[in-house]
Amino acid sequence: MKHHPDLFDARTLQNDTRLLFKLKLLLGTVCAYGGEIPLSKSEIAKRMKTSGYRINVLLQKLVCEGIVHSDDNGKLFFNKFIFIQEKESTNKEDLYSKNFNFFNSDEFLSEERNVQRLVLHYVGKELVYIPGNFRWGYISDLYGPLGLLNIRTRKEALRILEKASKYLKMKIYNDNFQVLSVHQEWLDMGEVYSEGAELWVLKQLKKHRFCCDFLSRKAVWQIAKVMEDYYAKFGYEYATEIFDTALFNIQKDKMRSHNFFKMIYKEENEFTVNEEKNELDEISAYFRAVMESAEINYAVQLSIDLEGINNKKKAAESNLFEDGKLSQKNNEIVEEASKQRESIINRLNHIHYCWLSRVHQDPEWFIENYYRIKSLPAPILEIKQEIERLIAAKNKKDRRYAI
């Protein structure tokens, strides 16, 4: 995950303390799929070298500002992120802000607030660190009631520009200024890279009682690659459920877990990677196969849950009246069962959509698993018909070759 440029808009930084801004940078660096923050509040406090109480207060402020939110299970999510997959070409939507090391340097943090805001705005929001990506600005737009900075006069604006030139390569004219780039000495300090995916995978592995102390980081990244692909194609909720089911299935199957452990529990320098054999790619290929198998198991479990809820709802509906009066308890059971049924139907519909989007990319997998897919309930309908057409076409082709 990458920092969203809006996080660096000078207008949103006006009331940020040094600690609050550092917290925003940290959350953007550790957030993972869907913006989920895989660190507890105490872990965040430890990284920030402050108290849990102060972190709670700051997080509440960020909730009010719409920068973070929590779900019903108490998971914390960071909203100002961009998901970027590695690919050959990029577009405007792929542009993201880098978390440069100089943002957290004592020298930069000791500057007055408006200097910091101006630099962060042009480096993070306007992205002037990209070669050739310069920006023009009006000096009059920096001050006054509607100004970018909370200053009142042109004289103050010129003073801020002069101080900001320590970090930004600029040209200042009578009415305008031009920001050309960031001075190389600051870029040379490097940047803080996202560790969200790695932290998220480790958190899930620990939840399923994997021993992470002896786990190779290279292996973690191979597992993360599979999760990243699922997330990019099918979204947070589905990818997370399948990932969770996959780890559960590995731990439940002794033979499968033994094979997986042999692949991932190695020293960094023990992996064989050459033209003939790539053990790192084998990890991701193996885990992808487990994820695909988990999709079927997940869908089957949902169908079993749906049948159970339908039976519970039917039984409660048949006993709604007792002695001619509406039973309050049975009515509550019916309402709760209806909500649960709708939730499962929605998840089955999402599985159906995901499968339809890739049935022609990997038809063999769907043909091999048709005997299980055809037993799934009503929401899984169109995919069954599509697989039947694939099977018919395959059989016709086989007969033609046999003749």
Side-chain angles (χ1 to χ4, degrees), residues 165-170 181-188:
S165 65
K166 176 180 177 180
Y167 305 93
L168 303 174
K169 193 179 294 183
M170 294 192 295
S181 62
V182 182
H183 289 301
Q184 194 61 41
E185 63 182 285
W186 302 107
L187 297 181
D188 288 343

Side-chain angles (χ1 to χ4, degrees), residues 126-392:
E126 304 294 345
L127 305 173
V128 297
Y129 62 83
I130 298 174
N133 190 27
F134 64 88
R135 285 291 185 272
W136 283 97
Y138 285 96
I139 296 174
S140 58
D141 288 341
L142 297 180
Y143 60 92
L146 302 177
L148 185 68
L149 308 175
N150 54 331
I151 52 179
R152 293 178 294 179
T153 65
R154 171 185 168 86
K155 183 178 179 181
E156 288 179 285
L158 290 172
R159 183 178 61 81
I160 296 298
L161 287 170
E162 184 63 31
K163 285 198 167 189
S165 65
K166 176 180 177 180
Y167 305 93
L168 303 174
K169 193 179 294 183
M170 294 192 295
K171 293 180 179 178
I172 302 173
Y173 304 93
N174 287 333
D175 298 317
N176 308 90
F177 62 94
Q178 185 183 24
V179 183
L180 299 168
S181 62
V182 182
H183 289 301
Q184 194 61 41
E185 63 182 285
W186 302 107
L187 297 181
D188 288 343
M189 290 176 67
E191 59 185 279
V192 181
Y193 294 98
S194 172
E195 54 179 314
E198 182 180 359
L199 290 171
W200 189 91
V201 170
L202 286 171
K203 178 184 176 183
Q204 296 299 107
L205 290 170
K206 288 175 183 176
K207 186 173 84 171
H208 289 273
R209 302 186 66 80
F210 282 77
C211 187
C212 295
D213 290 339
F214 303 98
L215 189 59
S216 163
R217 189 180 182 192
K218 290 181 179 178
V220 172
W221 277 108
Q222 292 304 118
I223 298 170
K225 278 169 57 177
V226 181
M227 176 59 189
E228 181 177 281
D229 187 51
Y230 264 75
Y231 172 69
K233 291 177 179 175
F234 311 121
Y236 171 79
E237 184 176 353
Y238 184 70
T240 302
E241 291 279 7
I242 300 305
F243 191 93
D244 207 45
T245 304
L247 293 182
F248 175 78
N249 290 344
I250 288 174
Q251 291 288 46
K252 186 176 68 173
D253 188 323
K254 287 186 178 180
M255 184 175 292
R256 176 178 278 169
S257 61
H258 179 68
N259 292 335
F260 192 57
F261 293 165
K262 284 175 65 178
M263 299 174 79
I264 63 176
Y265 286 112
K266 290 185 177 183
E267 296 292 335
E268 297 284 322
N269 58 356
E270 289 182 352
F271 289 101
T272 301
V273 179
N274 54 43
E275 293 182 0
E276 297 179 358
K277 186 177 181 64
N278 189 325
E279 290 184 335
L280 292 175
D281 285 348
E282 288 176 6
I283 294 173
S284 55
Y286 185 90
F287 191 71
R288 185 178 295 278
V290 176
M291 287 277 280
E292 290 174 349
S293 176
E295 289 187 75
I296 300 292
N297 293 338
Y298 177 60
V300 169
Q301 186 58 53
L302 283 178
S303 67
I304 294 171
D305 293 344
L306 182 63
E307 184 179 0
I309 288 170
N310 284 338
N311 291 336
K312 183 173 75 172
K313 183 172 181 286
K314 187 176 179 180
E317 286 174 337
S318 64
N319 296 308
L320 270 178
F321 291 91
E322 293 180 357
D323 300 328
K325 294 183 180 180
L326 183 66
S327 167
Q328 178 64 30
K329 183 166 183 62
N330 281 336
N331 190 43
E332 290 174 359
I333 291 173
V334 170
E335 289 180 0
E336 181 61 27
S338 297
K339 291 178 183 177
Q340 293 174 348
R341 185 178 187 278
E342 184 180 0
S343 174
I344 291 176
I345 292 292
N346 288 339
R347 279 183 278 177
L348 285 170
N349 278 328
H350 191 67
I351 291 173
H352 195 209
Y353 164 78
C354 293
W355 284 353
L356 283 172
S357 69
R358 74 170 196 269
V359 64
H360 292 288
Q361 298 172 13
D362 189 11
E364 288 301 321
W365 183 82
F366 287 93
I367 292 172
E368 289 172 9
N369 289 283
Y370 179 59
Y371 74 98
R372 298 183 72 189
I373 294 174
K374 70 179 181 181
S375 67
L376 297 176
I380 312 292
L381 177 61
E382 192 178 342
I383 190 70
K384 297 178 188 178
Q385 297 170 342
E386 195 61 38
I387 297 172
E388 288 168 359
R389 282 194 284 268
L390 288 170
I391 293 173

Side-chain angles (χ1 to χ4, degrees), residues 83-129:
F83 173 64
I84 304 291
Q85 262 194 308
E86 291 185 10
K87 48 190 175 182
E88 293 180 1
S89 59
T90 59
N91 51 45
K92 288 183 178 179
E93 286 69 37
D94 292 329
L95 295 178
Y96 62 90
S97 299
K98 293 183 178 181
N99 180 5
F100 288 108
N101 282 327
F102 83 85
F103 292 162
N104 281 308
S105 67
D106 292 336
E107 191 170 358
F108 180 70
L109 290 175
S110 65
E111 300 284 355
E112 62 180 280
R113 183 71 54 79
N114 282 316
V115 174
Q116 294 174 11
R117 288 171 59 204
L118 185 68
V119 173
L120 292 168
H121 184 86
Y122 279 96
V123 178
K125 180 77 164 65
E126 304 294 345
L127 305 173
V128 297
Y129 62 83

